């Protein structure tokens, strides 16, 4: 089947950028991205392309190129489903907060709603593509819903996990390491796979497009994220040992990373990984393993999360201990709130948990992040339900100017590795702070020697 019409349900961090790039690279395909969230769709359609709801380097340019030509954003979900030959499901799959699997399993209610809606609306055969990260065997559930509630039309379910990382989404989409497409072994399944291969073939070379069965594809996504997260927890575990022994974790990471079998990427010690994927996917993996009675497998992967939680807590504890065991009433400035640089996404950001700990210790938190609003910071803290929203509001203030955020502070903590932080006038910041002026670099991005020469009491991770 030659694909000319695609619909994507979910205009978030995955659906938005992925569809924008497909539309840019395939001008002959009409791509419609739909979402229930009217505000989000309005932002995607904003006349000023710089107001699109997701900040990603290069994304505004791609959207400007294709929007209105063959890229459309709409809240009319039924219409887009009815018209499309291929429907990508890119809705959120948060960790369950209730019932069986609470805190571990993925909540698939949004996926199920999509499947039911696709079944109700479709009057012709369709290919349905899982884009969201999902537990293994979700495709089976989607197929069951489609086949039992549909209008007798045929559905082919493909798994096509997204490997883009936020902050580099556009380059990752334009030059992917690989595209993975899982489908059914039947003739129809293979034809559906080929249709999607052809879409990606417009800009990705065929040798980078892998086709597998559905379960391998679903499990590969969880495995990739688990392996990446495991590297970070491994180096973070070494960071504490380095602090105790006088080794430097950056030097250790460099030394081991030069071993071509290990490789240099994802070995940067930090305050802990965040983002919407790593924790959720590992919890998912743990839940699946446990549900098959594979307790050793489950415990092995769970340790990656335990180490990450420990690393975040260790950072806040270090701040409290260094500030003479009390931060009560002290201004502590957070530079960065996003879970990594070059994104406005804050899901599972280490900053949220470090702030929560310090507010428990009665600190006053000042936040500066180039892309995150005060509203978002408060919403993130309120989501934890540790205390009332009024108390959070009393404890946290966001600033538009980093120098104002740091003025009068007892300590500064770097939570996100934004490049701009390395270019600040640190002497000016030092002069405006309480003394001794403490600086906790949770990302190891600043120059220790220079900062110590200015007078800062500077502490990095793992040295
Ligand atoms: C991740 C995967 O990389 C991507 O393939 C998948 O599609 C989605 O999940 P993402 O969460 O967007 O992408 O960002 P990533 O670059 O993986 O960083 C995740 C977290 O790990 C961030 O908080 C980052 O700061 C942290 N990190 C990353 C480290 O602490 N050290 C590192 O060396 C690398
Ligand atoms: P991701 O990072 O996986 O892209 P996001 O939360 O950024 O996750 O985006 C998911 C989007 O999916 C949200 O904008 C949400 O409103 C949308 N969504 C969830 N369920 C549905 C649905 N049934 N129909 C349309 N959109 C949906």
């Amino acid at each position: 089947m030659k694909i000319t019409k695609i619909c994507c349900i979910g205009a978030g961090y995955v659906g938005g950028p992925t569809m924008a790039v497909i539309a840019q690279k395939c001008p002959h395909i009409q791509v419609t991205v739909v979402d229930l969230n009217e505000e989000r769709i309005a932002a995607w359609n904003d006349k000023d392309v710089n107001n699109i709801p997701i900040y990603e380097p290069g994304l505004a340019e791609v959207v400007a190129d294709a929007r209105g030509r063959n890229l459309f954003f709409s809240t009319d979900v039924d219409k887009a489903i009815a018209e499309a030959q291929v429907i990508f499901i890119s809705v959120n799959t948060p960790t369950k907060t209730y019932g069986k699997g609470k805190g571990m399993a993925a909540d698939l209610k949004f996926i199920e709603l999509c499947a039911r809606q696709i079944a109700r609306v479709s009057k012709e055969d369709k290919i349905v593509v899982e884009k969201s990260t999902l537990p293994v065997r979700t495709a089976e559930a989607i197929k069951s819903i489609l086949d039992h509630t549909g209008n007798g039309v045929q559905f082919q379910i493909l798994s096509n996990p997204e490997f883009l990382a936020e902050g580099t989404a556009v380059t990752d989409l334009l030059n992917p390491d690989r595209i993975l497409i899982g489908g059914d072994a039947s003739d129809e399944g293979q034809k559906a796979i080929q249709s999607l291969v052809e879409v990606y073939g417009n800009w990705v070379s065929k040798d980078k497009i892998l086709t597998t069965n559905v379960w391998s594809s679903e499990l590969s996504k969880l495995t990739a994220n688990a392996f990446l997260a495991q590297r970070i927890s491994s180096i973070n575990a070494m960071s504490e040992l380095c602090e105790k022994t006088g080794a430097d974790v950056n030097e250790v990471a460099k030394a081991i990373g030069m071993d071509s079998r290990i490789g240099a990427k994802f070995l940067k010690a930090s305050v802990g990984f965040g983002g919407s994927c790593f924790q959720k996917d590992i919890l998912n993996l743990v839940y699946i393993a446990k549900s098959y009675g594979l307790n050793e497998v489950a415990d092995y992967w769970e340790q990656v999360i335990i180490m990450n939680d420990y690393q975040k807590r260790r950072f806040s504890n270090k701040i409290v201990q260094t500030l003479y065991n009390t931060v009560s009433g002290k201004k502590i400035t957070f530079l960065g709130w996003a879970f990594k640089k070059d994104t406005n996404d804050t899901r599972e950001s280490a900053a949220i948990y470090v702030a929560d700990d310090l507010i428990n210790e009665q600190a006053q938190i000042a936040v500066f992040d180039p892309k995150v609003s005060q509203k978002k910071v408060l919403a993130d803290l309120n989501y934890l339900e540790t205390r009332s929203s009024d108390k959070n509001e009393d404890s946290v203030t966001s600033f538009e100017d980093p120098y104002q955020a740091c003025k009068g502070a007892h300590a500064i903590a770097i939570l996100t590795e934004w490049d701009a932080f390395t270019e600040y006038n640190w002497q000016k910041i030092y002069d405006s702070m309480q003394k001794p002026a403490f600086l906790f670099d949770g990302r190891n991005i600043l120059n220790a020697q220079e900062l110590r020469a200015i007078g800062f009491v500077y502490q990095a991770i793992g040295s």
Side-chain angles (χ1 to χ4, degrees), residues 162-164 166 221 266 268 270 274 278 339-340 443:
E162 188 47 70
F163 295 105
L164 68 81
E166 289 175 31
K221 168 70 186 201
F266 276 72
K268 183 114 181 102
S270 69
F278 282 177
F339 82 97
K340 64 187 281 199
R443 296 292 187 160

Side-chain angles (χ1 to χ4, degrees), residues 9-15 34-37 40 77 90-92 110 113-114 117 166 276 347:
I9 309 179
Y13 283 89
V14 173
V34 291
D35 204 297
L36 296 172
N37 184 333
R40 209 166 203 181
V77 184
S90 252
V91 301
N92 34 333
F110 302 116
L113 284 172
C114 287
Q117 192 163 9
E166 289 175 31
S276 71
R347 286 176 288 180

Side-chain angles (χ1 to χ4, degrees), residues 302-425:
E302 192 168 16
Q303 201 59 37
V304 174
I305 304 283
I306 293 171
M307 186 65 223
N308 196 50
D309 287 340
Y310 175 66
Q311 187 76 347
K312 293 182 267 188
R313 226 172 27 247
R314 199 165 79 75
F315 189 74
S316 45
N317 283 344
K318 186 152 100 176
I319 295 177
V320 176
Q321 278 165 14
T322 311
L323 269 68
Y324 317 108
N325 282 319
T326 175
V327 290
S328 178
K330 291 179 180 170
K331 177 176 177 180
I332 306 202
T333 301
F334 279 27
L335 291 181
W337 189 266
F339 82 97
K340 64 187 281 199
K341 72 172 179 179
D342 293 337
T343 177
N344 59 350
D345 193 354
T346 63
R347 286 176 288 180
E348 292 300 328
S349 179
I352 304 168
Y353 297 93
V354 175
D356 193 52
D357 284 351
L358 294 177
I359 296 170
N360 280 341
E361 296 287 335
Q362 301 182 346
Q364 284 294 319
I365 309 291
V367 179
F368 170 77
D369 186 291
K371 293 287 173 194
V372 180
S373 66
Q374 162 107 353
K375 195 171 142 205
K376 192 85 202 40
V377 170
L378 280 172
D380 288 337
L381 285 167
N382 290 339
Y383 187 76
L384 296 182
E385 295 183 345
T386 311
R387 63 191 74 76
S388 71
S389 54
D390 286 350
K391 181 78 184 98
N392 280 330
E393 225 164 305
D394 291 344
S395 307
V396 181
T397 317
S398 288
F399 289 80
E400 306 253 306
D401 173 58
Y403 295 96
Q404 283 303 318
C406 295
K407 197 170 165 190
H410 290 260
I412 294 172
I414 309 274
L415 274 302
T416 313
E417 72 282 22
W418 287 100
D419 291 337
F421 297 165
T422 62
E423 287 148 24
Y424 285 173
N425 181 341

Side-chain angles (χ1 to χ4, degrees), residues 55-201:
Y55 174 72
E56 271 295 338
L59 181 59
E61 289 78 357
V62 176
V63 171
D65 208 20
R67 198 176 60 181
R69 180 188 71 188
N70 64 325
L71 175 64
F72 303 93
F73 295 93
S74 163
T75 50
D76 194 343
V77 184
D78 280 2
K79 179 167 179 275
I81 292 174
E83 289 179 351
Q85 299 149 298
V86 179
I87 300 154
F88 285 86
I89 304 183
S90 252
V91 301
N92 34 333
T93 50
T95 303
K96 270 187 96 174
T97 52
Y98 56 89
K100 193 162 179 281
K102 177 180 172 184
M104 301 276 264
D107 192 340
L108 297 179
K109 68 178 172 202
F110 302 116
I111 298 278
E112 177 166 347
L113 284 172
C114 287
R116 289 184 185 277
Q117 192 163 9
I118 293 169
R120 178 172 54 75
V121 172
S122 298
K123 301 282 185 311
E124 291 154 17
D125 296 355
K126 312 242 179 233
I127 299 172
V128 177
V129 186
E130 304 178 335
K131 202 58 171 157
S132 322
T133 306
L134 296 166
V136 181
R137 300 214 166 246
T138 303
E140 203 167 56
I142 297 178
K143 179 140 185 61
S144 161
I145 293 169
L146 290 173
D147 288 348
H148 286 95
T149 61
N151 303 309
V153 301
Q154 292 297 311
F155 294 102
Q156 281 303 320
I157 321 292
L158 300 179
S159 159
N160 172 219
E162 188 47 70
F163 295 105
L164 68 81
E166 289 175 31
T168 52
V170 173
T171 46
D172 292 347
L173 286 160
L174 291 173
N175 305 299
D177 286 345
R178 80 309 209 176
I179 297 287
L180 182 57
I181 303 173
D184 202 77
S186 65
D187 277 358
E188 289 73 25
Q190 293 302 307
K191 275 188 204 147
I193 290 179
Q194 279 317 311
S195 300
L196 197 54
V197 167
E198 268 173 43
V199 172
Y200 285 107

